[in-house]
Amino acid sequence: MERDHDMFAWIGKAAALTALALVTAVTPATAEAHRDCPLPVFGPGSQYHPRFEPSHFTANVTNLWFPLKPGRTLVSTGVKDGQKALDLFVTTYRTKVIAGVRTRVVEDRLYLNNVLQERTSDYYAQDRCGNVWYFGEDTAELDSRGRVVSTEGSWHTGVDGAKPGVFMQTHPQLGRKFRQEWYAGQAEDVFWSVSRHATVTVPLRTFHNTLRTVETTALEPDVLDNKYYARGIGQVAELSVKGPKESLRLVKIIP
């Protein structure tokens, strides 16, 4: 079992290096050079057939709304399942090839009441137009002793019918629905953008002109969340709209 005070000690040491003003993201030159990047058409899972060319992707994710800067950690706190939550979203220097695509590995750790509850490795890649795709995840739910009790929700593109989804467009189109993932009965998240000028206040500061999205899944039809993304940073807040009262708000950025 991993204890929260160890994690906070690590965060405190790294926080001395934090400089929000230095957080930048640069759109790759190739994004301007290539506009022919067809995105999947939303539809029932049985009719969902995303097409992608592995050579058109990179693990260097520089999308302004969802930049993945290796070595950076986004620290968020809030409430989940009625418990105090701490979430660490860590962009690693590691990559992983999935379905021929080299993806960036992001480690996500969720602590509830100071105990590690979930650990997830997420796999993202960016196409030549700057759109971010999601190619899979390895997730594990842990008990109070740190033992794995479930890996439900894990999936890799190309394995057992699992397919990739779009996580973030270069220029988000309001109202357009995307599947973020598709693995029948395991991973069926859907999202759409509703505003590019939302204001949200989190412990770190107040952000203006953020992208607000709506996220849901057929696996939990009574749950609806809003997520807020700030340019050059990524997700700064996740707030439940329907279903159990849950929230995560950005408190610190560790470069």
Side-chain angles (χ1 to χ4, degrees):
M1 177 172 63
E2 297 187 42
R3 293 296 183 183
D4 189 53
H5 64 79
D6 293 330
M7 186 57 65
F8 272 114
W10 173 71
I11 294 171
K13 185 180 295 183
L17 301 175
T18 303
L20 181 59
L22 297 179
V23 177
T24 59
V26 180
T27 301
T30 54
E32 293 301 322
H34 301 284
R35 293 299 182 186
D36 185 21
C37 299
L39 296 177
V41 175
F42 180 82
S46 60
Q47 300 175 27
Y48 180 66
H49 304 294
R51 296 180 180 180
F52 60 93
E53 171 53 56
S55 64
H56 293 174
F57 285 82
T58 176
N60 297 318
V61 178
T62 56
N63 181 297
L64 285 176
W65 294 108
F66 192 69
L68 298 178
K69 178 182 177 183
R72 187 174 71 174
T73 298
L74 302 183
V75 183
S76 300
T77 59
V79 176
K80 182 177 175 62
D81 297 334
Q83 302 178 73
K84 181 180 67 174
L86 166 69
D87 185 78
L88 306 177
F89 185 85
V90 185
T91 301
T92 74
Y93 287 90
R94 306 196 319 273
T95 63
K96 183 179 180 69
V97 176
I98 297 180
V101 175
R102 185 164 297 280
T103 67
R104 177 63 57 193
V105 180
V106 173
E107 298 291 352
D108 198 346
R109 299 291 182 268
L110 176 66
Y111 292 78
L112 298 181
N113 284 350
N114 303 335
V115 177
L116 182 63
Q117 185 79 16
E118 296 177 13
R119 67 174 186 231
T120 303
S121 298
D122 294 307
Y123 310 117
Y124 301 95
Q126 181 172 288
D127 68 22
R128 59 185 182 179
C129 294
N131 304 299
V132 181
W133 292 51
Y134 190 33
F135 281 88
E137 64 179 286
D138 287 304
T139 187
E141 182 180 340
L142 312 176
D143 65 15
S144 60
R145 295 185 179 181
R147 296 174 299 193
V148 175
V149 296
S150 174
T151 58
E152 183 177 352
S154 297
W155 63 281
H156 286 190
T157 292
V159 177
D160 195 25
K163 300 172 184 178
V166 174
F167 198 86
M168 183 64 69
Q169 287 181 282
T170 306
H171 304 292
Q173 297 170 276
L174 301 186
R176 181 174 178 180
K177 282 188 176 182
F178 288 102
R179 290 194 178 279
Q180 290 181 329
E181 55 190 8
W182 177 254
Y183 182 32
Q186 297 284 325
E188 300 185 19
D189 287 0
V190 171
F191 87 102
W192 60 97
S193 300
V194 294
S195 175
R196 289 186 292 265
H197 303 288
T199 296
V200 63
T201 297
V202 299
L204 185 62
R205 67 181 178 89
T206 294
F207 290 92
H208 301 286
N209 296 317
T210 68
L211 176 69
R212 179 165 68 92
T213 68
V214 176
E215 188 172 304
T216 187
T217 173
L219 303 179
E220 295 179 300
D222 295 327
V223 175
L224 196 71
D225 295 330
N226 275 168
K227 291 186 177 181
Y228 296 79
Y229 297 86
R231 286 176 177 269
I233 297 176
Q235 183 181 307
V236 297
E238 178 179 356
L239 309 175
S240 62
V241 176
K242 181 181 176 183
K245 186 176 181 180
E246 299 182 352
S247 65
L248 283 173
R249 294 177 172 87
L250 187 66
V251 298
K252 188 174 297 182
I253 299 174
I254 303 173

